[in-house]
Amino acid sequence: MLFSCYYTGAPDPQGKGQMAIDDDIKVEPLIGDCERLGVELTIFHDLLSNAFCEKWSSDLIQFARVPVTPIYSVCDYRTFCIRDWLQTHEYETVWYCDLFDVRMNRHPETMLDLFPGYDLFLGIESCDLKNNMDTSDGRWMVKKFKQTYGDVPPESLNQTILAAGHWGGTFKAASRFCNVLCDEFERVNAGRNNLNMAVYNQVAYRDVGRGNFWANGYPFNSEFRAFDMTADAVFIHK
């Protein structure tokens, strides 16, 4: 099962304002990819109309309504929605990707066939933090780490920046990762501060451990921000 989300009841924390409700253009690309590849997709939403959800639903596609986030930024809130859903639903595999800026070119379960020694796969930006602190991405990550932990934690300082917009694996591994992410959001009192990238990286490197997940870019994700739809990767990042 692939999860994504379409929240319109709270502003997008990355400066895009509040997303328009019932926008076909927002859902058509990823839904089309799922239909083409035979991937089941559940989209969490807070304010979409029943008519819109029915229009885009199929044997593979379903929409699940959740409350407007009362506490967290929408980017952090999605993890809690997945966690709560998995408490009453079980699948062989669990995956997540962003709805608005990620496409899909291969079935995600391909990763388990290609790399049978791993059960958790994380997106990566192919940019190490320590040597890129003067770049816009590096400065933003440092800001988020300091906002979350007071400084850049040593577990994450010498690592490559992981991308929180696509991840997954076996049900057991993905559920465990999701649970630890939610525990960490609660522990650091994330609120509406949009701390998902800092928490995602720190949980992966500190709690899961670098040898216990696969994060090498291709073929799990294409080059970050290249939006190369010709790439034979699972997730294509815009």
Side-chain angles (χ1 to χ4, degrees):
M1 176 63 71
L2 174 69
F3 293 98
S4 195
C5 53
Y6 187 168
Y7 300 134
T8 59
D12 185 294
Q14 296 179 336
K16 300 175 184 176
Q18 287 185 231
M19 294 295 176
I21 297 175
D22 293 356
D23 187 344
D24 293 331
I25 295 175
K26 296 293 187 186
V27 301
E28 190 279 331
L30 186 61
I31 287 179
D33 293 339
C34 288
E35 296 280 8
R36 172 171 52 87
L37 296 168
V39 176
E40 290 184 290
L41 170 65
T42 296
I43 298 176
F44 294 113
H45 73 96
D46 48 8
L47 294 173
L48 299 178
S49 70
N50 290 337
F52 181 83
C53 294
E54 290 173 4
K55 173 183 177 181
W56 286 102
S57 295
S58 69
D59 290 342
L60 291 173
I61 313 300
Q62 66 175 334
F63 290 78
R65 192 181 189 101
V66 296
V68 174
T69 173
I71 300 174
Y72 299 102
S73 76
V74 294
C75 291
D76 299 352
Y77 181 52
R78 64 197 184 195
T79 314
F80 290 91
C81 295
I82 297 171
R83 180 200 66 180
D84 294 347
W85 184 269
L86 294 181
Q87 290 174 354
T88 57
H89 301 77
E90 187 168 345
Y91 310 95
E92 289 188 8
T93 63
V94 171
W95 311 89
Y96 169 81
C97 78
D98 292 342
L99 182 62
F100 305 139
D101 59 2
V102 175
R103 296 287 303 276
M104 197 164 50
N105 258 357
R106 299 176 75 174
H107 199 294
E109 291 181 0
T110 300
M111 295 301 295
L112 292 165
D113 296 330
L114 292 174
F115 305 97
Y118 291 91
D119 58 8
L120 182 64
F121 302 85
L122 307 181
I124 199 164
E125 296 188 8
S126 299
C127 171
D128 67 280
L129 180 60
K130 188 174 183 179
N131 295 317
N132 287 276
M133 288 187 174
D134 291 332
T135 66
S136 59
D137 287 340
R139 288 192 298 270
W140 188 86
M141 280 300 302
V142 169
K143 174 184 175 182
K144 285 302 175 180
F145 273 127
K146 288 184 175 180
Q147 192 177 4
T148 310
Y149 299 106
D151 204 347
V152 180
E155 297 90 348
S156 296
L157 178 60
N158 297 310
Q159 303 289 352
T160 304
I161 298 173
L162 300 171
H166 38 284
W167 55 269
T170 64
F171 179 85
K172 182 178 180 180
S175 298
R176 182 171 59 241
F177 183 59
C178 193
N179 289 338
V180 178
L181 286 173
C182 291
D183 289 345
E184 187 74 354
F185 282 127
E186 293 174 340
R187 190 185 72 80
V188 300
N189 297 313
R192 294 189 181 274
N193 293 311
N194 189 37
L195 305 181
N196 74 99
M197 278 289 286
V199 167
Y200 179 87
N201 276 264
Q202 183 64 358
V203 163
Y205 288 126
R206 182 195 65 198
D207 300 325
V208 180
R210 185 62 182 91
N212 297 318
F213 62 85
W214 193 99
N216 296 316
Y218 179 84
F220 190 56
N221 61 268
S222 64
E223 182 181 350
F224 186 59
R225 289 186 179 147
F227 192 39
D228 181 10
M229 281 301 295
T230 66
D232 187 27
V234 175
F235 295 112
I236 311 298
H237 203 295
K238 293 182 181 180

